[in-house]
Amino acid sequence: MASMFQSLLDRTAKLPATLHQLFSRSPATSAASSAYSHFVSDLEKLRRRMERIQAFLEDAEEREIRERSIMLWLDELRDVAYDCEDVLDEVEYELQWYQLACQEEEHTPSSPEKKRIKRKREVSDSDATPRCPPLHDASFQLQITAKIKDINDRFEEIHRDGLALKLHEDHGQRHSSDSLSDPPLRMPTSCLVDEQAVRGRDHDKRKVMDMLLSDDGRHCKENVGVVSIVGMGGLGKTTLAQVVYNDIQVKNHFPTRMWVCVSDSFDVVRLTKEILQTLTGRSSDQVQGSNNFSSLQERLRQNLQGKRFFLVLDDVWNENQGYWEALWLCLSSGAEGSRVLITTRNEMVSRTSFVSEANMHRLSCLSDQDAWSLFEQRAFSGRNSSNYPELVLIGKKIVQRCKGLPLTVKTLAGLLFCEFSEDRWDDILRSDLWDLAEGKDQILPALKLSYRHLPSPIKLCFVYCAVFPKDYEFKRDQLVKMWMAHGYTIPTATRCMEDVGRGYFDNLLQRSFFQKYYGDYFVMHDLIHDLALSLGKGECCEVVDDKLSSIGRARHLFLKCWEDVTTCLSCGGPTGELLRLRTWYLRWQWRESRDVVEPVENMFGTMKCLRVLYLGGARIRELPDSVGNLKHLRYLAIDIKDCCRLPESLGNIINLQTLQLFNARHMLELPKSIKYLVNLRHLEMCAFSPPSTMSRDVFRLQLQMMPRGIGRLTQLRTLPLFVVGE
């Protein structure tokens, strides 16, 4: 939410100067000039009000997990922010058309009749005459000004509500009544473990111990070798480290062993004190008598001199290599063969702490058999499960829902401890995990801690991933293009938006939000998906049991088959809540594509907020002219089997960044208006259906020539072929 707000602020700050430059170049009527002045004034008010609200966001996002009133406040804020984005997009859309009109004049100076761009603002049978951009039109300006005034009023009300909720501007600050009741996000850990309760980690234990006891010195920092255990929250990284720490072979190999729970704050002074306390056996008061970091470093260095030690740093989040350097200055005095074991959710933490790829152990989920063994041990409390065959059947279904995540297995098994009622077990099986008190108090905070540590721009990208259903296999580049379409990947001076998006994707992969599936496909663990879904507050929905899973706040819709489209249109559209949709994703399925005209045409005519439209499961023999109404669209993927041409109205979608055409082997020519798609970055044409690739079947395309003016598409990065006409 914070990054979305920052993007809106940046746009409202830049827009007045751009508009001033526009109006200074072209004379306008007095009415238009007056409306323009009011518009710019309202934009400035909008920016100031958004800045005041932005100051509350960090506090609000911290408190929403515990306070329903804050959650509702953020929901309302998100709705207004979306409306604000739509209005800014509308103004920028018209501004781009004006700039295109100026460029058109430069390209055709000798033909007065060509000095304006021929485009259709609203395409219908009765209105086929193109009109010029209406930026100088007073009625258009008044319409936009009215919308911004309404948004201003709503933001002002939200700001007043934020003050009433005692939201604070300082990050981490809490109202006194809240701070006393806030539970810690994670309990501190120790080296103690009940090894009899651990299941399915023998292989992992052997691999980590091999890394620790090896003498080959792979990527050691001075005398100290560094090993890491990496994985998503709840996998049992700490448990594995505890088992290794207490192994008799490790005890014999390392005369000096130390355990420190690092958690959120990588405070080098605090860590040095805690290591000293563990090492010397002194009380915390004695060790903490000195706060001079230099003297603490020297004391630790002297105490480790010549000793072969084993140090566990549990639950590490720090990515700042400078902090690690300061700590290694103390540790490097240890004897050769000393080892540090780090547990973390983020691969980047391992790399910045000098862990080589060979010494990084990626922890996986438990097998079904091991997960059941863990569940059985805790739920049946030593009783023989064979005496409860009905409960065993239900229990194994519960375990399947956990997808091998030990934290979830233990939590749900704990709920059923000494419970032998089939109804109770069935209730747990059918309940949504987040509806259970234990899910909110134990599992959700553990997973949300990973989300909390994400950089702000990546949070939006992660939450958007809930648009895909559970177990959906997705590709990196496609997801990045969808992020781009929603404005989540802001380019920098040195990196284009694709590179920014790939960086965000890799960041989520390194932090275990994504898992490698096969080839170039990725998936999300069910609980990670549930986390994204819960953070999205109903914005992502799908059809489940012939009903929409969420409709009131739906912004992103996933449809598995064409029957879902029928259900969707009957439930919420095209005149209902679905008019606010920003993503419409109809999954392609083998042999299930349908020939559709009327439903798609209705969609194009009404769902004008769409940014992403993926119609892989709808075979379109003739793309209707009404596609030109989707002026906010950035990503369009369609199956155009047997379609020879695309309508000229496609050129109206000047915001379009990605155009994917499947089954395009009969396409003879692209529309002449494609030269106006100045933001187009990827033009992808496949002769067959997905997952067909351009490189495989590009020579089966029958394009006869490229349209004139395609050279104006200077943003283009993907083009399957270039055909020169006769």
Side-chain angles (χ1 to χ4, degrees), residues 152 162 194 308 313 318 630 659 674:
N152 258 325
D194 179 8
R308 185 166 62 191
L313 297 176
N318 170 60
L630 304 178
L659 176 60
I674 201 171

Side-chain angles (χ1 to χ4, degrees), residues 14 489-497 499-500 717:
K14 294 175 183 176
T489 61
I490 307 299
T492 67
T494 57
R495 302 179 73 197
C496 65
M497 59 179 70
D499 288 342
V500 171
R717 280 159 168 73

Side-chain angles (χ1 to χ4, degrees), residues 625-668:
D625 282 340
S626 56
V627 69
N629 293 334
L630 304 178
K631 58 185 177 183
H632 296 309
L633 198 65
R634 269 84 168 169
Y635 181 111
L636 175 61
I638 49 177
D639 185 329
I640 55 169
K641 186 174 182 180
D642 300 330
C643 183
C644 299
R645 293 173 178 82
L646 298 175
E648 291 296 329
S649 62
L650 188 71
N652 287 1
I653 317 175
I654 56 174
N655 285 315
L656 198 64
Q657 298 169 344
T658 301
L659 176 60
Q660 295 176 330
L661 304 174
F662 305 125
N663 272 318
R665 57 187 176 276
H666 299 297
M667 178 69 61
L668 299 178

Side-chain angles (χ1 to χ4, degrees), residues 139-408:
S139 62
F140 173 77
Q141 293 179 11
L142 289 171
Q143 178 187 1
I144 294 296
T145 301
K147 290 181 180 180
I148 291 184
K149 184 180 184 304
D150 175 64
I151 291 170
N152 258 325
D153 292 341
R154 292 160 69 191
F155 271 140
E156 182 63 27
E157 183 178 355
I158 287 173
H159 182 258
R160 288 196 299 268
D161 291 343
L163 292 173
L165 290 168
K166 295 183 171 60
L167 289 170
H168 295 282
E169 296 186 9
D170 294 333
H171 175 55
Q173 185 179 351
R174 294 289 181 273
H175 190 248
S176 58
S177 62
D178 296 328
S179 59
L180 295 175
S181 60
D182 285 355
L185 284 172
R186 187 171 189 250
M187 290 289 290
T189 63
S190 75
C191 62
L192 301 180
V193 64
D194 179 8
E195 293 192 41
Q196 299 300 317
V198 180
R199 295 289 187 274
R201 293 306 187 196
D202 292 341
H203 174 70
D204 297 290
K205 177 184 175 182
R206 284 195 300 271
K207 288 197 68 174
V208 173
M209 287 184 58
D210 286 345
M211 296 175 187
L212 293 172
L213 303 178
S214 171
D215 292 327
D216 62 6
R218 287 176 295 187
H219 202 82
C220 290
K221 181 71 175 174
E222 303 295 339
N223 296 327
V224 183
V226 193
V227 175
S228 67
I229 302 172
V230 182
M232 65 178 283
L235 265 182
K237 300 180 294 296
T238 298
T239 300
L240 177 58
Q242 290 167 333
V243 170
V244 169
Y245 185 89
N246 288 284
D247 184 85
I248 188 64
Q249 193 176 354
V250 171
K251 290 180 178 179
N252 292 335
H253 188 79
F254 298 103
T256 301
R257 295 177 304 130
M258 299 160 285
W259 180 286
V260 175
C261 178
V262 180
S263 198
D264 283 16
S265 174
F266 197 88
D267 184 338
V268 181
V269 175
R270 176 182 69 84
L271 292 178
T272 305
K273 289 179 179 179
E274 291 193 20
I275 295 172
L276 266 172
Q277 180 184 341
T278 307
L279 182 62
T280 61
R282 296 180 182 179
S283 68
S284 57
D285 291 338
Q286 290 175 309
V287 173
Q288 294 181 9
S290 171
N291 286 317
N292 184 283
F293 182 47
S294 179
S295 63
L296 286 170
Q297 277 189 309
E298 185 58 33
R299 287 170 61 188
L300 179 57
R301 186 177 181 85
Q302 290 174 359
N303 277 277
L304 289 176
Q305 188 74 42
K307 295 178 180 177
R308 185 166 62 191
F309 67 84
F310 176 42
L311 170 64
V312 175
L313 297 176
D314 185 42
D315 192 27
V316 182
W317 299 84
N318 170 60
E319 297 180 47
N320 188 321
Q321 198 166 50
Y323 292 163
W324 286 111
E325 290 281 4
L327 188 60
W328 294 134
L329 287 174
C330 312
L331 302 179
S332 59
S333 64
E336 186 175 350
S338 296
R339 295 289 184 266
V340 175
L341 175 62
I342 293 168
T343 70
T344 181
R345 305 184 188 191
N346 187 354
E347 288 186 13
M348 188 55 64
V349 170
S350 292
R351 295 190 175 96
T352 55
S353 57
F354 315 109
V355 179
S356 67
E357 186 69 23
N359 281 348
M360 190 186 304
H361 180 66
R362 295 175 177 85
L363 197 59
S364 302
C365 293
L366 295 175
S367 66
D368 290 343
Q369 182 178 351
D370 290 329
W372 168 248
S373 176
L374 178 62
F375 181 91
E376 182 183 35
Q377 173 208 35
R378 289 177 173 258
F380 288 97
S381 183
R383 302 193 186 191
N384 191 342
S385 61
S386 61
N387 295 330
Y388 305 92
E390 296 82 3
L391 297 185
V392 169
L393 289 174
I394 300 173
K396 289 188 174 180
K397 292 179 182 178
I398 293 174
V399 168
Q400 286 178 351
R401 288 187 60 197
C402 298
K403 293 292 182 74
L405 195 68
L407 173 63
T408 316

Side-chain angles (χ1 to χ4, degrees), residues 479-530:
L479 182 56
V480 166
K481 289 167 187 170
M482 293 169 73
W483 287 343
M484 287 165 45
H486 290 285
Y488 299 158
T489 61
I490 307 299
T492 67
T494 57
R495 302 179 73 197
C496 65
M497 59 179 70
E498 288 87 354
D499 288 342
V500 171
R502 293 184 194 109
Y504 289 173
F505 188 98
D506 292 343
N507 197 307
L508 288 167
L509 181 63
Q510 290 166 359
R511 295 171 187 264
S512 307
F513 285 94
F514 299 152
Q515 298 173 354
K516 187 80 173 176
Y517 190 60
Y518 70 89
D520 53 354
Y521 286 93
F522 298 83
V523 294
M524 286 196 297
H525 189 281
D526 280 6
L527 280 180
I528 295 294
H529 182 276
D530 286 341

